[in-house]
Amino acid sequence: MATSPDKHFLYAQLRSEPYPVSTFAIDRTTGRLRHLAATPLVDQMAYINTDRTGKFLLAASYVGAKLAIYPINAQRVVEAKATRILDTSPRRIASSSMPATRTSTFRCSAAIS
């Protein structure tokens, strides 16, 4: 799960096909969630997070050996078409470094044995 930088939206992915990520609006007074949309992702993602601007969802799959970047639209919903999908070596740990600019960088560390 991940929240938007302003903490007004929650993104949660189910790890079963079609691997949807759901967007929820968070009521800041009560904490209640309102479901806005569900968007299928390319794979089962063990890690999701937004960039510092809240305009992109970053996702990493250990099982599928993929890194993906999805745009988040003006309604704060994750769009279905990824901006970028990168294949990685199987069983790599993925992390992200997200400067407050347009540039996004993913780094992969050593393989898990």
Side-chain angles (χ1 to χ4, degrees):
M1 287 191 287
T3 57
S4 60
D6 63 7
K7 308 295 187 217
H8 287 120
F9 296 89
L10 174 73
Y11 303 97
Q13 190 204 13
L14 291 176
R15 290 193 184 181
S16 57
E17 289 189 48
Y19 311 117
V21 62
S22 289
T23 303
F24 297 91
I26 303 170
D27 183 308
R28 301 269 308 213
T29 305
T30 65
R32 288 189 177 188
L33 300 176
R34 182 171 47 93
H35 186 257
L36 300 177
T39 306
L41 299 184
V42 69
D43 212 321
Q44 173 184 335
M45 302 297 184
Y47 169 86
I48 61 172
N49 204 355
T50 62
D51 73 325
R52 291 182 185 159
T53 68
K55 293 181 180 179
F56 294 95
L57 182 81
L58 313 169
S61 172
Y62 299 124
V63 175
K66 288 179 182 56
L67 300 172
I69 302 170
Y70 288 86
I72 297 174
N73 65 27
Q75 291 73 40
R76 306 308 266 289
V77 171
V78 177
E79 294 186 7
K81 184 172 168 113
T83 301
R84 187 80 189 246
I85 299 172
L86 303 168
D87 291 321
T88 66
S89 298
R91 302 184 69 191
R92 294 279 178 169
I93 297 173
S95 64
S96 65
S97 171
M98 296 307 302
T101 66
R102 293 177 150 177
T103 308
S104 301
T105 305
F106 275 112
R107 294 185 314 263
C108 291
S109 67
I112 301 170
S113 42

